[in-house]
Amino acid sequence: MKVFRDLFRDYRFAVSFCVLCALLIFACLSFFAPYDPTLWHVVPRDLRPSRAHLLGTDSNGQDIFWTASFAVRNSVIVALIAGVVSRIIAVLFGMIAGYKGGNTDRVLMFISDSLLVIPLFLIIVLMAMLVRASMNLVTLGLLLALFGWAWDARVIRSLILSLRTREFTETAILSGARTLPLVLNEYMPYAMPLVFSTLINNMAWAIGLEMTLAILGLTNVLIPTLGTMLYWAINYHAILLGRWWWVLTPVVLSVLLFVALYWMSVSVSEYLDPRTRVQRVGAE
Amino acid sequence: MVKTTFMGEWPILNTEPPILRTEGLKAFYVLDVHGVQKVVKAVNEVDLNIRENEVYGIAGESGCGKTTLLKALYGAIEPPLRLMGGTVYYRVPGEEIDVFMLSAEEKRRLRWEYIAYIPQGSMSVLNPVTKLKETYQDFISSHVTGKTRADAFKIAAGHMAELGLPRKLLDAYPHQLSGGMRQRVTIALAALLKPRIMIADEPTTALDVVVQRGVVQLLRDIQQRLGNTIILVTHDMGVQANIADRVAIMYAGKIIEEATTEEIFGNPLHPYTRYLIQSLPKFGDKTARTSAPGSPPSLMDLPSGCPFHLRCPDTLETCIEQMPPLVAVASSHRVACWLARER
Amino acid sequence: MTFLKRYLIPRLIQYFLVIFLGITAVFFIPRFLPNDPVVQTVAALQARGSSVDPATIDQMVADLTELYGLEGSLLQQYGAFWRRLLHADFGVSFFQFPAPVSELIAAALPWTLGLLFVTTVISWTGGNLIGGLAGYYNRKRWSRALDGVSMVIRPLPYYIFAFALLLMFAWAIKWFPTSGGIGIGRKVALNWPFIKDVLWHSFLPALSLTILGGAIWFQTMKLIVQNVNAEDFVQYAQLGGVKEDRIVSRYVIRNAMLPQITALALALGQIFSGALITEIVFSYPGLGGLLYNAIVNGDYNLILGITALSIIAITTAILVLDLLYPLFDPRVRYM
């Protein structure tokens, strides 16, 4: 499509797209893994990278290459759940606040602003500490989603506010369109690209937060994710014992993910904003 | 006709060399929209001779290139706008300067002292976080060295008083003033260093009629006090009639007619000018007004020959093939039209 | 008078409301989540040690219930909670028994405040200034280079970046210590050796926070300035031949700073969290270090105390910023 081609002209989109595709393929390899990720001591421990074990093995007796593949897959799954659910909440809040205005708007935005202001990390730590044993990928994703919608709700609200004052809204209302179909049919096409760009941003945030929580031991450390890999590496003092392959793998993979997701979200949002698009274009 | 400057210096005759002159001025916007290059011919071969001590009006529809022309005259050409050809000359005492040969610093020094610009939409041109007097001080101290802040403030205050604006305006922030007030403040600011040329881009648009009158009055006051040149761009023919000495009509990036105000209104030669004048309401005349059919061509995609020929009531064959040059058909009356020349 | 009504009062109301709701949330979360902290603590204790007879366990449960403020009905607990809060009593730390939580927090707080304050000031002003210049001169090579660097740094979460710094400078090249706030055994005194020690230990955490924070301010400021550049009043000043250094400082940066003040207020929560996480990586003896110990030891009271205090501290800081804003923006001052 033309949009795709235009996006690709930005080197940041091109690079991030390729990196993300590569990582996704890597994650999908996990479906063909020869080892069960939940079992320990399936291979000799602490081996350096070799032909048999491309990224070495860790102190739990797992092959790092295949564990990493599961880790990327699980981290992305958590991020997707967190991102999608928080989009839904953000869109609901933003649309209702922007469309209704008045007191509804004020109340909803107050809730949203309060979430921005409070140190969320501590609240999440509190909650995670209490549910960590029974946590799985889905519950973790939902926990993150519960706190990741506030900023983007405001962004969507501004969009809806500006759409609401446009002529086509008045026309639709005057011709008897009801609220829900109006919002869904007319506003969604404008909102979708914005939602997509914030989704990518949110996913990066979710992966980062998951890693931080996992390293602190607040998630279910038996499920391989990028964060839990680092947790075990630190727990077994991999740095001190010089087992760099165990530490570097999750760090490098996650850095690739973060930077790629960020570049993609920046290039998409710059593409959407007509001002930056013209700036990119006219003045070379 | 002889006019004298305010200070009673030597009289300036109409035959004096022009203070601002352009030759074949061409300025285009070159845009790259997703790989496709588009060229907007905003100023397309313009020859002007603007004299001292006159109000020179430029009229035309929106999108005909007026603002771009003003920018070019001011020497403010920045990408994506590019100078494609031609020259602009300023006359300073003793010589003629080619504006586009000046360095950035030389241009900066000329600004405000020699030539000043009143941009369109002067509502938002003042720094919103500083008081007006600080803005005035910025302009003064950027051009006049050795003046302390107190001196600069005195100059500004005296200046305001001269023009009939209340002094306490200087202690206000821009958002505390109405739109019309801000417009007048901007005009006063332009006249601060007594420039020889002042360029005003649509100074009366977006103002109500009463305020418009105040603005026009202010411009006239300044021109009479300083005896300088004002180049006034506005599509409002009423304002042109009110204040301009000569008027040029611009269409699709070219000047198509230029004459004294009386000539333009009384004897328009170009078909477009005719439509323009005919569409103005006249006291006592209740006949229906017509305007030119169709709409102006896109500056990205100009037709061949005369840019007006698609809307013109009588076209000759040459009109479609060749662009008519701007030539004098009488003293102080130039037209770019094959038809007009034949008559 | 209108200023008071339109600006001040709504913010004060919001301030008290947010604190009230935040503290209430802190109160209710553990009581609504499925796991009972008392049961968890007892189970954790049992998992560590040998078996204990049932009578002792009952006593433990009773003690813990009282310790965690879980006695009585929900309403009674809520009332007791607020009463204790107003006396700055967050209860007693469970694993550092019998040290009261407020004491532990008071010991750790200066470290965090010092780190947070210094790094926020440096990264905000520095990032904004450099970002502003980069935004104005956005076609120069140095501007683009900095932009490229920040594009890689900014998306990294606090933990990963701090961790990377730790690996690089404390482990690979041993320039700085890997942990702590001061050397072991050194006494707190206001002399140069002590200060030097503190600086040496806090350099890496401070560097981590400053660079990461600075990257964010740099990028957002650059974007804002690029928009401000196109504003009418900047173009006008250029048309007027105002000297360039004046345009950059008084027209561009002064206006671009305004949204950044608001952005700082909104980001304080995140910056604080980031500081805590960075402290954990470097085992810095601030609130972060305290928090980590609390998590590892399941010290429930301590976490509650830190959370409650943080909510109050951050909302207060935001209120202060909000009140300072009119000093910079006359449009709000004279409405």
Side-chain angles (χ1 to χ4, degrees), chain A residues 12 110 114 116-119 121-123 125-127 129-130 132 151 208 211-212 215-216 218 230 234 239 247 255 258-259 262-263 279 283, chain C residues 14 17-18 21 29-30 33 35 40 139 151-152 154-155 157 159-160 163 167 171 219 226 266 273 277 280 291-292 295 303 310 314-315 318:
Chain A
R12 293 171 302 191
F110 175 75
S114 311
L116 280 180
V117 154
I118 296 179
F121 177 64
L122 290 167
I123 307 256
V125 162
L126 199 58
M127 292 176 82
M129 221 180 73
L130 291 164
R132 67 175 121 175
W151 181 256
M211 286 185 80
T212 309
I215 295 173
L216 296 176
L218 288 169
L230 257 183
I234 295 176
I239 314 174
V247 172
V255 168
F258 293 130
V259 176
Y262 180 62
W263 282 23
Q279 257 195 355
Chain C
Q14 194 183 35
L17 215 52
V18 169
L21 285 177
I29 288 174
L33 286 178
N35 298 30
Q40 272 204 329
R139 302 214 195 103
M151 282 292 271
V152 176
R154 187 184 163 169
Y159 197 97
I160 302 294
F163 197 57
L167 287 179
W171 185 66
Q219 280 221 317
Q226 275 166 212
L266 288 175
S273 307
I277 296 172
I280 294 177
L291 182 71
Y292 185 64
I295 295 174
I303 298 186
S310 309
I314 294 178
T315 27
I318 294 179

Coordinates of all heavy atoms in Angstrom, one line a residue, chain A residues 12 110 114 116-119 121-123 125-127 129-130 132 151 208 211-212 215-216 218 230 234 239 247 255 258-259 262-263 279 283, chain C residues 14 17-18 21 29-30 33 35 40 139 151-152 154-155 157 159-160 163 167 171 219 226 266 273 277 280 291-292 295 303 310 314-315 318:
Chain A
R12 N 14.0 5.2 10.0 CA 13.8 4.7 11.4 C 12.7 3.6 11.3 O 12.8 2.5 11.9 CB 13.3 5.8 12.3 CG 14.4 6.8 12.6 CD 13.8 7.9 13.3 NE 12.8 8.6 12.5 CZ 12.3 9.8 12.9 NH1 12.7 10.4 13.9 NH2 11.3 10.3 12.1
F110 N -9.9 13.6 35.8 CA -9.4 13.6 37.1 C -8.8 12.3 37.5 O -7.7 12.1 38.0 CB -10.4 14.1 38.1 CG -9.9 14.0 39.5 CD1 -9.1 14.9 40.0 CD2 -10.3 13.0 40.4 CE1 -8.6 14.9 41.3 CE2 -9.9 12.9 41.7 CZ -9.0 13.9 42.2
S114 N -4.9 11.6 38.0 CA -4.4 11.0 39.3 C -3.5 9.9 39.1 O -2.5 9.7 39.7 CB -5.6 10.6 40.2 OG -6.5 11.6 40.3
L116 N -1.6 9.4 36.6 CA -0.4 9.9 36.1 C 0.5 10.4 37.2 O 1.7 10.2 37.1 CB -0.6 11.0 35.1 CG -1.0 10.7 33.7 CD1 -1.2 11.9 32.9 CD2 0.1 9.8 33.0
V117 N -0.1 11.0 38.2 CA 0.6 11.7 39.2 C 1.2 10.7 40.3 O 2.3 10.9 40.8 CB -0.3 12.7 39.8 CG1 0.1 13.1 41.2 CG2 -0.3 14.0 39.0
I118 N 0.4 9.7 40.6 CA 0.8 8.8 41.7 C 2.0 8.0 41.2 O 2.1 7.6 40.0 CB -0.3 7.9 42.0 CG1 -1.5 8.7 42.6 CG2 0.1 6.8 43.0 CD1 -2.7 7.9 43.0
P119 N 2.9 7.7 42.1 CA 4.1 6.8 41.7 C 3.6 5.4 41.4 O 3.5 4.6 42.4 CB 5.0 6.9 42.8 CG 4.2 7.4 44.0 CD 3.1 8.2 43.4
F121 N 4.7 2.9 40.1 CA 5.6 1.7 40.3 C 5.4 1.1 41.7 O 5.3 -0.1 41.8 CB 7.1 2.2 40.2 CG 8.1 1.1 40.4 CD1 8.2 0.0 39.6 CD2 8.9 1.2 41.5 CE1 9.1 -1.0 39.9 CE2 9.9 0.3 41.8 CZ 9.9 -0.9 41.0
L122 N 5.3 2.0 42.7 CA 5.1 1.5 44.0 C 3.8 0.7 44.2 O 3.7 -0.3 44.8 CB 5.2 2.6 45.0 CG 6.6 3.2 45.1 CD1 6.5 4.5 45.9 CD2 7.5 2.3 45.9
I123 N 2.7 1.3 43.6 CA 1.4 0.6 43.7 C 1.5 -0.8 43.0 O 1.0 -1.7 43.5 CB 0.3 1.5 43.0 CG1 0.4 2.9 43.6 CG2 -1.0 0.8 43.2 CD1 -0.7 3.2 44.5
V125 N 4.2 -2.5 42.6 CA 5.0 -3.4 43.5 C 4.1 -4.0 44.6 O 4.1 -5.2 44.9 CB 6.1 -2.6 44.1 CG1 6.7 -3.3 45.3 CG2 7.2 -2.4 43.0
L126 N 3.3 -3.1 45.2 CA 2.4 -3.6 46.2 C 1.5 -4.7 45.8 O 1.4 -5.7 46.4 CB 1.6 -2.4 46.7 CG 0.9 -2.4 48.1 CD1 2.0 -2.6 49.1 CD2 0.2 -1.1 48.3
M127 N 0.9 -4.4 44.6 CA -0.1 -5.4 44.1 C 0.6 -6.7 43.7 O 0.2 -7.8 44.0 CB -0.9 -4.9 42.9 CG -1.8 -3.8 43.3 SD -2.6 -3.0 41.9 CE -4.0 -4.2 41.7
M129 N 3.4 -7.9 44.8 CA 3.9 -8.7 45.9 C 2.8 -9.6 46.5 O 3.1 -10.7 47.0 CB 4.3 -7.7 47.0 CG 5.6 -8.1 47.7 SD 6.1 -7.1 49.0 CE 5.0 -7.4 50.3
L130 N 1.6 -9.2 46.4 CA 0.5 -9.9 46.9 C 0.0 -11.1 46.0 O -0.5 -12.1 46.5 CB -0.6 -9.0 47.3 CG -0.3 -8.1 48.5 CD1 -1.3 -7.0 48.6 CD2 -0.3 -8.9 49.7
R132 N 2.0 -12.5 43.5 CA 3.0 -13.0 42.6 C 3.0 -14.5 42.4 O 3.4 -15.0 41.4 CB 4.4 -12.6 43.1 CG 4.8 -13.2 44.4 CD 6.2 -12.9 44.8 NE 6.3 -12.2 46.1 CZ 7.4 -11.8 46.7 NH1 8.6 -12.0 46.1 NH2 7.4 -11.2 47.8
W151 N -2.1 8.2 30.1 CA -1.5 9.3 29.3 C -2.2 9.3 27.9 O -2.6 10.3 27.4 CB 0.0 9.0 29.0 CG 0.6 10.0 28.2 CD1 1.0 9.9 26.9 CD2 1.0 11.3 28.5 NE1 1.6 11.0 26.4 CE2 1.6 11.9 27.4 CE3 0.9 12.1 29.7 CZ2 2.1 13.2 27.4 CZ3 1.4 13.4 29.7 CH2 2.0 13.9 28.6
G208 N 9.3 -3.1 29.5 CA 10.3 -2.5 30.4 C 9.8 -2.8 31.9 O 10.6 -3.1 32.7
M211 N 10.1 -6.4 32.9 CA 11.5 -6.7 33.2 C 11.9 -6.2 34.6 O 12.5 -7.0 35.4 CB 12.5 -6.1 32.2 CG 12.4 -6.9 30.9 SD 13.7 -6.2 29.8 CE 15.1 -7.1 30.4
T212 N 11.5 -5.0 34.9 CA 11.9 -4.4 36.2 C 11.2 -5.2 37.3 O 11.9 -5.6 38.3 CB 11.4 -3.0 36.3 OG1 11.9 -2.3 35.1 CG2 12.0 -2.3 37.5
I215 N 12.9 -8.7 37.7 CA 14.2 -8.7 38.3 C 14.1 -8.6 39.8 O 14.9 -9.1 40.5 CB 15.1 -7.6 37.7 CG1 15.3 -7.8 36.2 CG2 16.4 -7.4 38.4 CD1 16.0 -6.7 35.5
L216 N 13.1 -7.9 40.2 CA 12.9 -7.7 41.7 C 12.2 -9.0 42.2 O 11.9 -9.0 43.4 CB 12.0 -6.5 41.9 CG 12.7 -5.2 41.6 CD1 11.7 -4.0 41.8 CD2 13.9 -5.0 42.4
L218 N 9.2 -10.1 41.5 CA 7.8 -9.8 41.8 C 6.8 -10.5 40.8 O 5.6 -10.4 40.9 CB 7.5 -8.3 41.8 CG 8.1 -7.6 43.0 CD1 8.0 -6.1 42.8 CD2 7.3 -8.0 44.2
L230 N 16.9 -12.4 33.3 CA 17.8 -11.6 34.0 C 17.7 -11.9 35.5 O 18.7 -11.8 36.2 CB 17.5 -10.1 33.8 CG 18.4 -9.4 32.8 CD1 18.1 -7.9 32.7 CD2 19.9 -9.5 33.2
I234 N 21.0 -12.8 37.7 CA 21.5 -12.1 38.8 C 21.5 -12.9 40.1 O 22.4 -12.9 40.9 CB 20.6 -10.8 39.0 CG1 20.8 -9.9 37.8 CG2 21.0 -10.1 40.3 CD1 19.9 -8.7 37.9
I239 N 27.2 -12.3 36.7 CA 28.2 -11.3 36.4 C 29.5 -11.6 37.1 O 30.6 -11.6 36.5 CB 27.7 -9.9 36.8 CG1 26.3 -9.7 36.4 CG2 28.6 -8.9 36.2 CD1 25.7 -8.4 36.9
V247 N 23.9 -13.1 30.8 CA 23.4 -11.7 31.1 C 23.2 -10.9 29.8 O 22.2 -10.3 29.7 CB 24.5 -11.0 32.0 CG1 24.1 -9.5 32.1 CG2 24.6 -11.6 33.3
V255 N 17.1 -4.5 24.6 CA 17.5 -3.2 24.0 C 17.0 -3.1 22.6 O 16.5 -2.1 22.1 CB 19.0 -3.0 24.2 CG1 19.4 -1.8 23.3 CG2 19.4 -2.8 25.6
F258 N 13.3 -2.5 22.6 CA 12.9 -1.2 23.1 C 13.2 -0.2 22.0 O 12.3 0.6 21.6 CB 13.7 -0.8 24.3 CG 13.3 -1.6 25.5 CD1 14.3 -2.1 26.3 CD2 12.0 -1.7 25.9 CE1 14.0 -2.9 27.4 CE2 11.7 -2.5 27.0 CZ 12.6 -3.0 27.8
V259 N 14.4 -0.2 21.5 CA 14.8 0.8 20.5 C 13.9 0.7 19.2 O 13.4 1.6 18.7 CB 16.3 0.7 20.1 CG1 16.6 1.7 19.0 CG2 17.1 1.0 21.4
Y262 N 10.4 1.9 19.8 CA 10.4 3.3 20.0 C 10.5 4.0 18.6 O 9.8 4.9 18.3 CB 11.5 3.8 20.9 CG 11.6 5.3 21.1 CD1 10.5 6.0 21.6 CD2 12.7 6.0 20.7 CE1 10.6 7.3 21.8 CE2 12.7 7.4 20.9 CZ 11.7 8.0 21.4 OH 11.7 9.4 21.6
W263 N 11.5 3.5 17.8 CA 11.7 4.1 16.5 C 10.4 4.0 15.6 O 10.0 4.9 14.9 CB 12.8 3.5 15.8 CG 14.1 3.9 16.3 CD1 14.4 4.5 17.5 CD2 15.4 3.9 15.5 NE1 15.8 4.8 17.5 CE2 16.4 4.4 16.4 CE3 15.8 3.4 14.3 CZ2 17.7 4.5 16.0 CZ3 17.1 3.5 13.9 CH2 18.1 4.0 14.8
Q279 N 7.5 19.3 7.4 CA 8.8 19.8 7.8 C 9.8 18.8 7.3 O 10.9 19.2 6.8 CB 8.9 19.8 9.4 CG 8.8 21.2 9.9 CD 9.3 21.2 11.4 OE1 9.6 20.2 12.0 NE2 9.4 22.4 11.9
A283 N 12.0 21.3 3.6 CA 13.1 22.3 3.8 C 14.5 21.7 3.7 O 15.4 22.1 4.5 CB 13.0 22.9 5.2
Chain C
Q14 N -7.8 19.7 43.9 CA -7.3 18.5 43.3 C -6.2 17.8 44.1 O -6.1 16.6 44.3 CB -6.8 18.8 41.9 CG -6.5 17.6 41.0 CD -5.9 17.9 39.7 OE1 -5.2 18.9 39.6 NE2 -6.3 17.2 38.7
L17 N -7.7 16.0 47.1 CA -8.4 14.9 46.6 C -7.5 13.7 46.2 O -7.8 12.6 46.5 CB -9.3 15.3 45.4 CG -10.7 14.7 45.3 CD1 -11.4 14.8 46.6 CD2 -11.5 15.3 44.2
V18 N -6.5 14.1 45.4 CA -5.6 13.0 44.9 C -4.9 12.3 46.1 O -4.8 11.1 46.1 CB -4.5 13.6 44.0 CG1 -3.4 12.6 43.7 CG2 -5.1 14.0 42.7
L21 N -7.5 10.1 47.8 CA -7.8 8.9 47.0 C -6.6 7.9 46.9 O -6.7 6.7 47.0 CB -8.2 9.3 45.6 CG -9.6 9.8 45.5 CD1 -9.9 10.2 44.0 CD2 -10.6 8.8 45.9
I29 N -6.0 -1.7 48.6 CA -5.5 -2.7 47.7 C -5.2 -4.0 48.4 O -5.7 -5.1 47.9 CB -4.2 -2.2 46.9 CG1 -4.6 -1.1 45.9 CG2 -3.5 -3.3 46.3 CD1 -3.5 -0.5 45.3
P30 N -4.4 -4.0 49.4 CA -4.1 -5.3 50.0 C -5.3 -5.9 50.6 O -5.4 -7.2 50.7 CB -3.1 -5.0 51.1 CG -3.1 -3.5 51.3 CD -3.7 -2.9 50.1
L33 N -7.2 -7.7 47.5 CA -6.5 -8.7 46.7 C -6.7 -10.0 47.3 O -6.9 -10.1 48.5 CB -5.1 -8.3 46.5 CG -4.9 -7.2 45.5 CD1 -3.4 -6.8 45.4 CD2 -5.4 -7.5 44.1
N35 N -4.8 -12.5 48.2 CA -4.0 -13.1 49.2 C -3.9 -12.3 50.5 O -3.9 -11.1 50.5 CB -2.6 -13.2 48.6 CG -2.5 -14.0 47.4 OD1 -3.5 -14.1 46.7 ND2 -1.4 -14.7 47.1
Q40 N 0.4 -15.1 54.2 CA 1.6 -15.2 53.3 C 2.8 -15.1 54.2 O 3.8 -15.8 54.0 CB 1.6 -14.0 52.3 CG 0.9 -14.3 51.1 CD 1.4 -13.4 49.9 OE1 1.8 -12.3 50.2 NE2 1.4 -14.0 48.7
R139 N 19.5 21.9 11.8 CA 20.1 21.3 10.6 C 21.6 21.1 10.8 O 22.2 20.5 9.9 CB 19.8 22.2 9.4 CG 18.3 22.3 9.2 CD 17.9 22.4 7.8 NE 16.5 22.9 7.8 CZ 16.1 24.1 7.5 NH1 17.0 25.0 7.1 NH2 14.9 24.5 7.6
M151 N 17.8 9.0 20.5 CA 16.9 8.0 19.9 C 17.2 6.6 20.4 O 16.3 5.8 20.5 CB 16.9 8.0 18.4 CG 16.2 9.1 17.8 SD 14.4 9.0 18.0 CE 13.9 8.1 16.6
V152 N 18.4 6.4 20.8 CA 18.8 5.1 21.3 C 18.7 5.0 22.8 O 18.3 4.0 23.3 CB 20.2 4.7 20.8 CG1 20.6 3.3 21.4 CG2 20.3 4.6 19.3
R154 N 16.8 7.0 24.9 CA 15.5 7.3 25.5 C 14.6 6.1 25.8 O 13.9 6.1 26.8 CB 14.7 8.4 24.7 CG 13.5 8.8 25.4 CD 12.7 9.8 24.7 NE 11.4 9.8 25.2 CZ 10.5 10.7 24.9 NH1 10.8 11.6 24.0 NH2 9.3 10.7 25.5
P155 N 14.4 5.2 24.8 CA 13.5 4.1 25.1 C 13.9 3.1 26.2 O 13.1 2.3 26.6 CB 13.3 3.4 23.7 CG 14.6 3.7 23.0 CD 15.0 5.1 23.5
P157 N 14.5 1.4 29.6 CA 13.9 1.6 30.9 C 15.1 1.8 31.9 O 16.2 1.5 31.7 CB 13.2 0.2 31.2 CG 13.8 -0.7 30.2 CD 14.3 0.0 29.1
Y159 N 16.0 0.5 34.6 CA 16.8 -0.6 35.1 C 17.9 -1.0 34.1 O 19.0 -1.2 34.5 CB 15.9 -1.8 35.4 CG 16.6 -2.8 36.3 CD1 16.4 -2.8 37.7 CD2 17.5 -3.7 35.8 CE1 17.1 -3.6 38.5 CE2 18.2 -4.5 36.6 CZ 18.0 -4.5 38.0 OH 18.7 -5.3 38.8
I160 N 17.5 -1.2 32.9 CA 18.4 -1.7 31.9 C 19.6 -0.7 31.7 O 20.7 -1.1 31.7 CB 17.7 -1.9 30.6 CG1 16.6 -2.9 30.7 CG2 18.7 -2.3 29.5 CD1 17.0 -4.3 31.1
F163 N 21.8 -0.8 34.7 CA 22.5 -2.0 34.7 C 23.6 -2.0 33.8 O 24.7 -2.4 34.1 CB 21.5 -3.1 34.4 CG 21.9 -4.5 34.7 CD1 22.3 -4.9 36.0 CD2 22.0 -5.5 33.7 CE1 22.7 -6.1 36.3 CE2 22.4 -6.8 34.0 CZ 22.7 -7.1 35.3
L167 N 27.6 -2.5 34.6 CA 28.4 -3.4 33.9 C 29.7 -2.8 33.4 O 30.8 -3.2 33.5 CB 27.7 -4.1 32.8 CG 26.6 -5.2 33.2 CD1 26.0 -5.8 32.0 CD2 27.3 -6.3 34.0
W171 N 32.2 -2.8 36.7 CA 32.7 -4.2 36.6 C 33.7 -4.3 35.5 O 34.8 -4.8 35.7 CB 31.5 -5.1 36.3 CG 31.8 -6.5 36.3 CD1 32.2 -7.3 37.3 CD2 31.8 -7.4 35.1 NE1 32.4 -8.6 36.9 CE2 32.2 -8.7 35.6 CE3 31.5 -7.2 33.8 CZ2 32.3 -9.7 34.7 CZ3 31.6 -8.3 32.9 CH2 32.0 -9.5 33.4
Q219 N 14.8 15.4 23.9 CA 14.0 15.1 22.7 C 12.7 16.0 22.7 O 12.3 16.5 21.7 CB 13.6 13.6 22.7 CG 14.7 12.8 22.2 CD 14.1 11.7 21.3 OE1 13.1 11.1 21.7 NE2 14.8 11.5 20.2
Q226 N 11.1 23.1 17.7 CA 10.8 23.1 16.3 C 9.5 23.6 15.9 O 9.3 24.3 14.9 CB 11.0 21.7 15.7 CG 12.5 21.4 15.4 CD 12.7 19.9 15.2 OE1 13.8 19.4 15.5 NE2 11.8 19.2 14.7
L266 N 4.1 16.5 35.4 CA 3.5 15.3 35.1 C 4.4 14.1 35.2 O 4.0 13.0 35.4 CB 2.9 15.3 33.7 CG 1.6 16.2 33.5 CD1 1.2 16.3 32.1 CD2 0.5 15.6 34.4
S273 N 10.0 7.0 40.5 CA 10.1 5.6 40.3 C 11.4 5.2 39.7 O 12.0 4.2 40.2 CB 8.9 5.0 39.4 OG 7.7 5.5 39.9
I277 N 14.3 2.7 41.2 CA 14.8 1.5 40.5 C 16.4 1.6 40.4 O 17.1 0.6 40.6 CB 14.1 1.4 39.2 CG1 12.7 1.2 39.3 CG2 14.8 0.3 38.3 CD1 11.9 1.2 38.1
I280 N 18.1 0.7 43.4 CA 18.2 -0.8 43.6 C 19.3 -1.4 42.9 O 20.1 -2.2 43.4 CB 16.8 -1.4 43.2 CG1 15.7 -0.9 44.1 CG2 16.9 -2.9 43.2 CD1 14.3 -1.4 43.7
L291 N 13.3 -0.2 49.7 CA 12.2 -0.9 49.1 C 12.6 -2.3 48.7 O 11.8 -3.3 48.9 CB 11.8 -0.1 47.8 CG 10.6 -0.7 47.1 CD1 9.3 -0.5 47.9 CD2 10.4 0.0 45.7
Y292 N 13.8 -2.5 48.2 CA 14.2 -3.8 47.7 C 14.3 -4.8 48.9 O 13.8 -5.9 48.8 CB 15.6 -3.7 47.1 CG 16.1 -5.0 46.5 CD1 15.4 -5.6 45.4 CD2 17.2 -5.6 47.0 CE1 15.8 -6.8 44.9 CE2 17.6 -6.8 46.4 CZ 16.9 -7.4 45.4 OH 17.3 -8.6 44.8
I295 N 10.8 -5.8 49.8 CA 10.3 -6.8 48.8 C 10.8 -8.1 49.1 O 10.1 -9.1 49.2 CB 10.6 -6.4 47.4 CG1 9.9 -5.1 47.0 CG2 10.1 -7.5 46.4 CD1 10.3 -4.6 45.6
I303 N 6.7 -1.4 52.9 CA 6.3 -1.0 51.5 C 5.1 0.0 51.6 O 5.0 1.0 50.9 CB 5.9 -2.2 50.7 CG1 7.1 -3.1 50.5 CG2 5.4 -1.8 49.3 CD1 6.9 -4.3 49.6
S310 N 5.4 8.4 49.5 CA 5.7 8.9 48.2 C 4.6 9.6 47.6 O 4.7 10.6 46.9 CB 6.1 7.7 47.3 OG 7.1 6.9 47.9
I314 N 5.1 13.4 46.3 CA 5.1 13.7 44.9 C 4.0 14.7 44.6 O 4.2 15.6 43.8 CB 5.0 12.5 44.0 CG1 6.3 11.7 44.2 CG2 4.8 12.8 42.6 CD1 6.3 10.4 43.4
T315 N 2.8 14.4 45.1 CA 1.7 15.3 44.9 C 2.0 16.7 45.4 O 1.7 17.7 44.8 CB 0.4 14.9 45.5 OG1 0.6 14.1 46.6 CG2 -0.4 14.1 44.5
I318 N 4.4 18.4 43.0 CA 3.6 18.8 41.8 C 2.8 20.1 42.1 O 2.8 21.0 41.2 CB 2.7 17.7 41.3 CG1 3.5 16.5 40.8 CG2 1.8 18.2 40.2 CD1 2.7 15.4 40.3

